[in-house]
Amino acid sequence: MVMSKVTRRGHRRRSPAMSVLLHGTLILASLIAIGPIVWVLLSSLKPGYAIQSSELTLFRDTTLANYRYVLTETNFPRWFLNSVIVAAFTMTIGIFLSATTGYAVSRFNFPGRRPLMMVFLITQMFPVAILIVPIYTILARLGLINTMPALIVAYLTIAVPFCAWMLKGYFDSIPTSLDEAAALDGCGPFAIFWRVVLPLARPAVAVTAFYTFLTAWGEVAYASAFIQTDNKFTLAYGLQQFVPQFNPQWEYLTAAAVLVTIPAGLVFFFAQKHLVSGLTAGGTKG
């Protein structure tokens, strides 16, 4: 009996050469992706002269002095606290606004529903550089320049439209029969949203939290335009202090960059189990 090259599920067996090529490509792509991260980590453990040397070495005079200097001799702890406050408020308010907006657009028909979603979509077409001037003018008239609320408002303008669109698609995939059953049990619209729909949308909410957090954590343009004093800098903007025009301090910049990635990595670690399902489940309705 001739052995078939097709498995029981109907998929053709991959030849050894194709398997080696596929795995080799994946390994190469992984190395390209993590290579810069590893290089920054290794550079953060070197003194300044070793980083600027023309001789490329992985390890040379390894030291933790760069981290000690960043944490004790600069305003890095203050910048870190400012970033945590801005990112936490942006994430919390962004989740609330995006979830309630997405649910309202998904479940209710009201005048201006489609134009509202079109406005959200159009706002994503404008680059940040174009929006800085009008947002700055509005915040200046409100007296919010050089304050953390200014950054929170600015970051919400970036995060909420995208997240509302995404959550709307996820809410569409949740059967409305659950809403009707909850209504028969005496739940009002807010109770249905809070007790029934929102728990089922946990993966999408996790993606929203991750996206809004990263939006506030790593943004530089708004921070450089709206913040003017050193003690109110965020981390992303504060890192520029390590690369002045004539004397870049790469050893301190790389150490600070490693420290900056830790909170974002922790957020990703706790949200990762929901990220894939949250990004894909809203693409289909059923």
Side-chain angles (χ1 to χ4, degrees):
M1 182 177 181
V2 180
M3 296 295 294
S4 174
K5 292 186 178 181
V6 181
T7 64
R8 292 183 179 180
R9 294 183 179 181
H11 298 290
R12 185 177 297 277
R13 294 180 182 273
R14 188 183 299 117
S15 66
M18 287 299 299
S19 180
V20 171
L21 178 62
L22 176 61
H23 286 82
T25 303
L26 293 176
I27 293 173
L28 178 61
S30 299
L31 292 176
I32 293 175
I34 68 174
I37 301 175
V38 174
W39 186 258
V40 169
L41 176 61
L42 295 177
S43 297
S44 69
L45 300 174
K46 299 177 182 178
Y49 64 84
I51 297 178
Q52 299 181 26
S53 173
S54 59
E55 181 183 356
L56 297 179
T57 56
L58 294 179
F59 299 96
R60 181 177 177 182
D61 299 333
T62 302
T63 178
L64 294 176
N66 299 333
Y67 291 93
R68 189 182 306 111
Y69 177 86
V70 169
L71 293 173
T72 61
E73 302 296 331
T74 69
N75 271 341
F76 184 90
R78 180 64 186 181
W79 302 339
F80 185 90
L81 178 61
N82 293 340
S83 291
V84 169
I85 294 174
V86 171
F89 275 95
T90 302
M91 182 175 64
T92 303
I93 299 174
I95 291 174
F96 175 77
L97 294 178
S98 302
T100 52
T101 302
Y103 179 74
V105 175
S106 174
R107 290 297 197 264
F108 303 108
N109 289 319
F110 53 88
R113 174 176 174 269
R114 290 181 61 85
L116 175 63
M117 297 307 294
M118 289 302 299
V119 168
F120 283 169
L121 183 61
I122 291 174
T123 57
Q124 302 300 299
M125 300 179 184
F126 295 96
V128 172
I130 294 179
L131 299 176
I132 288 179
V133 174
I135 294 178
Y136 183 94
T137 302
I138 295 173
L139 295 176
R141 292 180 178 178
L142 295 175
L144 295 178
I145 296 300
N146 199 35
T147 64
M148 285 185 282
L151 293 181
I152 295 172
V153 171
Y155 296 153
L156 288 174
T157 63
I158 301 175
V160 170
F162 171 78
C163 293
W165 259 105
M166 181 187 66
L167 287 173
K168 188 263 184 187
Y170 197 95
F171 290 143
D172 286 345
S173 68
I174 299 176
T176 57
S177 58
L178 297 177
D179 301 41
E180 297 169 356
L184 292 176
D185 289 338
C187 293
F190 183 78
I192 295 173
F193 166 73
W194 183 257
R195 298 179 181 178
V196 178
V197 177
L198 196 59
L200 295 175
R202 191 175 301 167
V205 172
V207 176
T208 300
F210 185 66
Y211 179 79
T212 52
F213 179 86
L214 288 187
T215 298
W217 190 256
E219 202 278 334
V220 177
Y222 285 146
S224 60
F226 303 152
I227 301 299
Q228 301 168 351
T229 55
D230 182 88
N231 65 332
K232 294 184 179 179
F233 286 170
T234 58
L235 280 174
Y237 184 43
L239 294 187
Q240 298 185 25
Q241 308 305 307
F242 297 123
V243 282
Q245 183 176 2
F246 300 106
N247 184 30
Q249 300 169 316
W250 300 113
E251 65 275 23
Y252 302 140
L253 177 64
T254 52
V258 172
L259 294 174
V260 167
T261 61
I262 294 176
L266 292 176
V267 173
F268 176 79
F269 176 78
F270 288 109
Q272 62 175 332
K273 64 179 181 180
H274 298 300
L275 290 180
V276 175
S277 58
L279 286 171
T280 59
T284 58
K285 182 179 179 180

